[in-house]
């Protein structure tokens, strides 16, 4: 794998640097592969482009069914409430739709994507860590209560393992505390209510 600097010196096109590229630039890359991506769709020029573009397709173009094309059916998802849960793609699609009902104008701005290509007995996979800033308005009920109409800005980290165009393991961390405060709710009261629900 070539670093950005090595690619510059060799005259090859560098791998996408998400943190310093504009959204229009990332959505319209020059055609042709910048790195070897076995099993991935031809439209992706490099692995950061894959991460950025599937996020745009799903969340901004609202192509929720595309989740079935880029998430393995037996994808393992780790969140702040559950660890190592095998999540069918239909469950991921339904959860995404529910989030968009709560925040219909949600946008996910890519702050950065860092990545590596790692060896594995089942075949090399790509690992990514994607930092995003979500900007959205709460116009529908959430797990924290009825819609508040408030605007929210939340940082999320999505780490993935992907092979052959499929994400097969994902870790998600969101600033739920910051979201609750921005929704105008009391974090302690929300935590107590959610704890009580867990006991039922």
């Amino acid at each position: 794998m070539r670093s950005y600097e090595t690619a510059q010196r060799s005259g090859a096109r560098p791998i996408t640097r998400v943190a310093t590229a504009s959204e229009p630039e990332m959505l319209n890359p020059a055609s042709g592969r910048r790195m070897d991506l076995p099993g991935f769709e031809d439209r992706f020029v490099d692995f950061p482009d894959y991460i950025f573009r599937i996020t745009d397709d799903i969340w901004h173009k609202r192509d929720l069914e595309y989740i079935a094309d880029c998430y393995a059916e037996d994808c393992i998802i780790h969140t702040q409430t559950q660890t190592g849960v095998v999540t069918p793609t239909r469950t991921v699609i339904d959860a995404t739709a529910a989030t968009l009902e709560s925040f219909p104008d949600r946008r996910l701005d890519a702050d950065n994507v860092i990545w590596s290509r790692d060896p594995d007995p089942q075949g090399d996979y790509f690992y990514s860590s994607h930092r995003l800033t979500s900007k959205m308005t709460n116009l529908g009920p959430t797990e924290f209560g009825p819609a508040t109409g408030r605007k929210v800005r939340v940082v999320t980290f999505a780490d993935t393992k992907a092979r052959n165009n499929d994400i097969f393991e994902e870790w998600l961390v969101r600033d739920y505390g910051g979201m609750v405060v921005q929704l105008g709710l009391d974090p302690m009261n929300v935590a107590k209510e959610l704890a009580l629900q867990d006991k039922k």
Side-chain angles (χ1 to χ4, degrees):
M1 182 186 303
R2 293 176 174 176
S3 69
Y4 177 78
E5 292 77 11
T6 302
Q8 278 190 316
R9 286 196 299 270
S10 69
R13 286 177 297 171
I15 304 301
T16 303
R17 301 187 83 186
V18 172
T20 56
S22 67
E23 183 173 300
E25 179 184 354
M26 288 190 286
L27 287 173
N28 295 283
S31 61
R33 282 280 166 89
R34 300 174 183 175
M35 61 182 294
D36 183 32
L37 288 174
F40 286 78
E41 294 177 39
D42 291 340
R43 68 190 181 110
F44 302 124
V45 299
D46 54 37
F47 189 60
D49 180 57
Y50 166 80
I51 294 296
F52 176 81
R53 197 171 294 277
I54 66 172
T55 302
D56 182 70
D57 287 346
I58 294 166
W59 289 101
H60 300 159
K61 295 178 181 175
R62 306 300 197 243
D63 186 3
L64 304 193
E65 294 301 320
Y66 182 62
I67 290 171
D69 293 331
C70 57
Y71 275 77
E73 181 58 30
D74 57 352
C75 182
I76 300 171
I77 297 185
H78 310 264
T79 69
Q80 287 146 294
T81 57
Q82 294 179 312
T83 300
V85 177
V86 176
T87 307
T89 51
R90 177 49 54 184
T91 302
V92 178
I93 293 170
D94 292 344
T96 304
T99 299
L100 289 172
E101 288 180 9
S102 301
F103 301 96
D105 62 348
R106 187 183 192 205
R107 284 199 57 84
L108 282 73
D109 294 336
D111 299 323
N112 206 353
V113 175
I114 59 175
W115 61 277
S116 66
R117 181 172 180 172
D118 298 334
D120 186 88
Q122 298 180 37
D124 289 2
Y125 66 85
F126 291 88
Y127 170 80
S128 73
S129 184
H130 187 189
R131 176 186 159 120
L132 313 103
T133 299
S134 298
K135 301 170 185 175
M136 49 197 172
T137 309
N138 180 212
L139 300 178
T142 69
E143 60 190 300
F144 308 121
T148 65
R150 295 203 176 199
K151 293 186 179 297
V152 175
R153 183 186 179 108
V154 177
V155 173
T156 299
F157 284 91
D159 290 13
T160 66
K161 289 181 178 179
R163 181 192 293 120
N164 296 324
N165 213 77
D166 276 344
I167 292 171
F168 63 90
E169 190 165 11
E170 182 172 47
W171 294 258
L172 289 172
V173 178
R174 298 185 183 94
D175 182 10
Y176 281 120
M179 179 186 292
V180 167
V181 170
Q182 292 174 70
L183 289 174
L185 306 174
D186 181 272
M188 289 301 295
N189 289 339
V190 169
K192 289 176 183 177
E193 179 61 32
L194 292 177
L196 289 173
Q197 291 178 18
D198 285 343
K199 290 182 179 179
K200 293 179 181 178

